[in-house]
Structure formats: C-alpha cells, structure tokens
C-alpha cells in the first residue's frame, strides 16, 4: 500500500475513533454528578481507571513487541471497550462498587486503545511517523464533532444512548483499520522477555523523561476533572461543558497540522518546555476565573499547550526507546505518566476541593508545574535528543 493511501486511512481512523472516544469521555463528570456522587466519591471512582491503565498499557505494549503486531490487539481491546462502555452508561443506579469496577475497565481501555492508535501511527513507517501531528489533528476534529453531538444526544435520549453511539463509530473505525498495514516491527530471532524491559528502565534519560511527563500530565489531567468540577460549581450547563471540549479540540488544530515544522525547527525538548510554561499560565488563569464563560475562554490556550505536549512526549519517548522495544517504550511511558495521573489527580483534587476549595486547588496544581519545568532544563543538558 502506498504511503498516500496509508495516510488517508490513518486520517479516517483518527477522525472516527476520536469522535467515538469523545462520546464516552466528555460527559463522565456530569454523568457521575447526575447519579449523586460527591467530589471525593467521583475522585475515587475515576482513580480506579489507573489500575487497569497502568497494568494494561505495560502488558499490552510488551505483547505488541513480543508478537510483532499492534493491529490485532487494537481490534481485540476495542471490541471489549464497546461492550463494557454500553453496560456502564446503561447503569444509572447509585451503586458505588459497581461504578468503581465499570469505570476502572472502561477508563482503562480508553487509555489503552488511545495509546495503541498513536503508537501504531509512530511505528508504521518514517513517512507516517513524520506526519503524526497532522494525523493527530484529525483526531482533534473528530473530538470537536463528538463532544457537542454527545450533549445533543443526551438531552434528547439520555446517557444510555452513549453506549450505542460509541459502538457504531467504533465498528466503523475497525472497518477502516482492517486494510491498514500493521506496525513495522524489528524482527528478532530471540523471543522478547520481561527481563528485556530492564533495558528501558536502566536508561537514566528515559526514566527522567517519564518522571517529567508524570508531573505534567498529573496537572493536565486536572483540566478534565478539577476544571470541569469548578465549571459545574459556577453553574455551567451540559452544553457549556460540551462546548469547552469542542472548543479546545478546534483550537488545537493549527499546531497539530504544522507542529512537525516546529519540531524540525526547534526540536522536541524546546517544544515541551514551551508547553509546560504555557500550562503554568493557563492554570493560573483558571484559578482567577469567576465564570464558566471565562474558563472556556482560558481554554483557548489549549492551542499551544496540548499539541506541543502531545507531539514532544511521543517523539522524545520514541527517541529513548530501543528499536525492538518501541511499543513497550511508548506503552510503558503512557502507563506511568497517564496511569499515575489518572490514579492521583482525581483523588488529590477531590480531597483538596473539600479542604481548601476550587481556587486554591488549582493554585496548588499550578505550583507543581515548576517541578517538571526545572527538570526539563536538566534533561535537555544531559540528553542528545534536544
């Protein structure tokens, strides 16, 4: 298959699967709030996601390298995602234990599937890898379409419709992905073993990079939970929350489309530093916001923060991973910086909100960002990938 056709299929896949994932992810807080859970209860439920995410991403990444395939595991896990997501949004009784289990698996699969799609793109070939930013932009377009569509469906048919709508789009993504080439794995005569993963963890720059990304994503995850909680506290409607998700997906597009040019010009490390600096400004403004409208306007900084973070962290982790451990390197990193943020942010946020309120909670998150900013300067000095 020609690179041009692969690129088209990647674009179709990203648009559809991210439209689907917007449906299952953007209304999580309103759904749990509608059932009657408190901020602390919501935090514990959402933190359960990390258990499946951390273990699942590490294990799936290892299996992808071991069996030289990403596509097979993507299809298998997406099918499981469809079934469990339908059950989760159909169950609206206030049963803490049931929702704890359902959100653990659905949220974990959300992170695993998203990580597999992006890792797949990075491993098809160099032509596709170099165009990761523009391809990911179509994921943002799908997200921008899916978020308001979800709000419209909920208003007319209730939360149960999310499971059915997600299933339709997810099956379409499977159809588009069947003909796509699998990841181009490095063939090895030796069977990959768990002990080989130690090669990654013995790389001090890989470990430092993951440590930096854990802090950044810990705070970035607060945009999904703490900021939405503050919007609800300020009286935001489901439509305003949906619009926030769509708006930030739209403003991401320019840098996703042209981020690869910036990558060639200044390098991934400088992109990461700029992203962290803008996150500090963004969360400082969230702290000062006094209305849902102001929060939506502040979200325009997503145009810089998220595309630079997404592109830089993928490229930097890929650079740090040996050829025969590319999937393991990506999925292990995602499991740590994505999984730990999913574990810690909701719980810490819920406890802080109950103790010191929304504004001081966001101020604390802002202060934390200075840690990865300082570590990034250290990393750039000792690492050859700048």
């Amino acid at each position: 298959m020609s690179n041009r056709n692969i690129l088209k299929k990647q674009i179709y896949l990203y648009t559809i699967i991210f439209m689907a994932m917007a449906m299952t992810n953007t209304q999580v807080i309103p759904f749990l709030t509608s059932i009657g859970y408190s901020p602390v209860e919501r935090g514990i439920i959402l933190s359960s996601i990390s258990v499946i995410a951390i273990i699942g991403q590490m294990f799936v990444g290892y299996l992808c390298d071991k069996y030289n395939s990403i596509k097979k595991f993507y299809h298998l896990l997406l099918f499981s995602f469809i079934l469990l997501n339908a059950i989760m949004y159909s169950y609206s009784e206030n049963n803490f234990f049931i929702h704890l289990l359902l959100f653990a698996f659905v949220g974990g699969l959300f992170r695993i599937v998203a990580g597999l799609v992006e890792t797949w793109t990075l491993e098809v070939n160099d032509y596709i890898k170099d165009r990761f930013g523009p391809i990911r932009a179509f994921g943002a377009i799908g997200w921008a379409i899916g978020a308001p569509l979800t709000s419209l469906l909920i208003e007319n048919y209730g939360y149960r419709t999310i499971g059915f709508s997600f299933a339709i789009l997810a099956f379409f993504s499977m159809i588009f992905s069947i003909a796509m080439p699998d990841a181009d794995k490095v063939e090895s005569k030796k069977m990959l073993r768990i002990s080989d993963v130690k090669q990654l963890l013995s790389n001090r720059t890989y470990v430092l990079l993951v440590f930096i990304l854990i802090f950044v994503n810990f705070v970035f995850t607060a945009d999904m939970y703490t900021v939405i909680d503050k919007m609800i506290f300020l009286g935001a409607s489901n439509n305003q929350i949906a619009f926030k998700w769509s708006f930030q997906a739209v403003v991401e597009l320019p840098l996703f489309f042209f981020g690869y040019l910036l990558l060639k010009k200044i390098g991934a490390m400088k992109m990461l530093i700029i992203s962290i600096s803008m996150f500090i400004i963004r969360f400082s403004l969230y702290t000062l916001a006094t209305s849902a409208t102001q929060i939506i306007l502040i979200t325009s900084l997503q145009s810089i923060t998220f595309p630079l973070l997404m592109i830089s962290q993928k490229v930097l982790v890929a650079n740090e991973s040996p050829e025969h451990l590319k999937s393991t390197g990506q999925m292990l990193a995602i499991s740590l910086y994505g999984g730990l943020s999913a574990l810690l942010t909701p719980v810490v946020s819920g406890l802080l909100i109950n103790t010191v309120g929304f504004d001081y909670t966001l101020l604390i998150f802002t202060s934390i960002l200075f840690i990865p900013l300082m570590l990034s300067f250290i990393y750039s000095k000792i690492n050859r990938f700048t």
Side-chain angles (χ1 to χ4, degrees):
M1 184 180 295
S2 68
N3 284 330
R4 190 180 184 87
N5 286 334
I6 296 173
L7 182 61
K8 286 181 181 178
K9 290 185 180 296
Q10 286 274 341
I11 288 170
Y12 296 149
L13 174 62
Y14 270 72
T15 304
I16 294 172
I17 194 59
F18 276 91
M19 186 190 305
M21 289 197 289
M23 289 185 164
T24 187
N25 193 64
T26 57
Q27 293 294 328
V28 165
I29 298 294
F31 175 63
L32 290 174
T33 302
S34 70
I35 295 173
Y37 291 115
S38 68
V40 173
E41 288 174 322
R42 293 198 301 267
I44 294 171
I45 289 172
L46 294 171
S47 291
S48 68
I49 293 170
S50 64
V51 178
I52 302 301
I54 293 173
I55 298 173
Q57 285 170 323
M58 287 191 290
F59 187 58
V60 170
Y62 170 78
L63 290 177
C64 288
D65 283 328
K66 182 175 182 178
Y67 295 104
N68 297 317
S69 175
I70 290 179
K71 183 160 69 171
K72 294 175 184 176
F73 293 100
Y74 170 75
H75 289 153
L76 176 63
L77 293 170
L78 182 57
F79 185 74
S80 302
F81 191 180
I82 291 169
L83 293 177
L84 290 172
N85 184 70
I87 295 171
M88 185 181 78
Y89 277 106
S90 296
Y91 191 82
S92 57
E93 295 181 19
N94 192 319
N95 189 316
F96 182 81
F97 181 71
I98 295 296
H99 280 120
L100 187 73
L101 288 177
L102 287 172
F103 270 88
F105 282 97
V106 172
L109 285 169
F110 172 90
R111 291 175 178 270
I112 294 169
V113 169
L116 279 178
V117 170
E118 292 164 353
T119 303
W120 189 358
T121 301
L122 293 169
E123 293 190 45
V124 172
N125 60 44
D126 288 337
Y127 178 88
I128 299 299
K129 176 185 174 182
D130 291 342
R131 286 154 182 80
F132 173 76
I135 292 170
R136 183 60 179 77
F138 283 92
I141 291 173
W143 194 277
I145 296 170
L149 180 59
T150 306
S151 178
L152 182 64
L153 289 170
I154 290 171
E155 284 190 356
N156 288 281
Y157 306 106
Y159 285 103
R160 290 175 182 267
T161 192
I162 293 178
F164 179 70
S165 303
F166 173 79
I168 293 174
L169 291 173
F171 277 122
F172 269 111
S173 80
M174 283 186 179
I175 293 171
F176 278 113
S177 63
I178 286 173
M180 286 172 53
D182 207 338
D184 183 19
K185 294 290 186 181
V186 174
E187 295 291 338
S188 177
K189 295 180 180 179
K190 295 171 59 179
M191 183 68 73
L192 186 67
R193 295 172 297 183
I194 293 291
S195 58
D196 294 331
V197 180
K198 293 180 180 179
Q199 185 177 346
L200 281 171
L201 299 179
S202 63
N203 180 350
R204 63 172 185 164
T205 51
Y206 177 87
V207 173
L208 177 58
L209 174 62
V210 171
F211 199 59
I212 292 168
L213 296 178
I214 287 172
F215 277 107
V216 179
N217 283 274
F218 171 75
V219 177
F220 174 55
T221 303
D223 184 63
M224 299 170 59
Y225 303 130
T226 316
V227 175
I228 298 298
D229 267 333
K230 182 172 180 177
M231 288 183 71
I232 294 172
F233 175 76
L234 293 172
S237 64
N238 275 349
N239 285 335
Q240 284 179 302
I241 293 171
F243 180 76
K244 175 189 179 295
W245 287 109
S246 296
F247 178 61
Q248 65 188 45
V250 170
V251 297
E252 294 169 0
L253 295 177
L255 260 184
F256 267 133
F257 276 118
F258 301 107
Y260 73 100
L261 297 175
L262 188 62
L263 178 63
K264 291 181 179 179
K265 187 175 180 63
I266 67 173
M269 195 61 240
K270 290 180 181 177
M271 289 174 68
L272 179 60
I273 291 172
I274 294 171
S275 175
I276 297 171
S277 301
M278 294 306 297
F279 267 122
I280 292 172
I281 296 173
R282 180 176 173 178
F283 273 80
S284 296
L285 293 174
Y286 278 149
T287 302
L288 300 173
T290 56
S291 70
T293 301
Q294 289 178 5
I295 289 177
I296 292 171
L297 292 174
I298 294 165
T299 300
S300 63
L301 290 174
Q302 178 90 353
S303 61
I304 300 173
T305 53
F306 184 64
L308 293 187
L309 175 63
M310 173 62 70
I311 295 171
S312 62
Q313 68 185 10
K314 293 293 182 183
V315 171
L316 288 167
V317 171
N319 287 340
E320 294 288 357
S321 304
E323 288 298 325
H324 67 296
L325 292 173
K326 288 296 185 184
S327 293
T328 304
Q330 287 287 348
M331 297 302 285
L332 175 61
I334 294 171
S335 73
L336 293 173
Y337 68 69
L340 288 178
S341 64
L343 171 66
L344 298 174
T345 304
V347 173
V348 172
S349 175
L351 291 172
L352 286 173
I353 288 171
N354 279 356
T355 305
V356 299
F358 292 100
D359 294 338
Y360 280 108
T361 298
L362 289 167
L363 183 60
I364 291 170
F365 281 133
T366 304
S367 302
I368 290 172
L369 285 167
F370 285 97
I371 298 173
L373 182 63
M374 295 299 103
L375 291 176
S376 295
F377 288 113
I378 297 172
Y379 176 90
S380 64
K381 290 181 178 180
I382 64 175
N383 187 24
R384 54 192 172 128
F385 301 112
T386 57

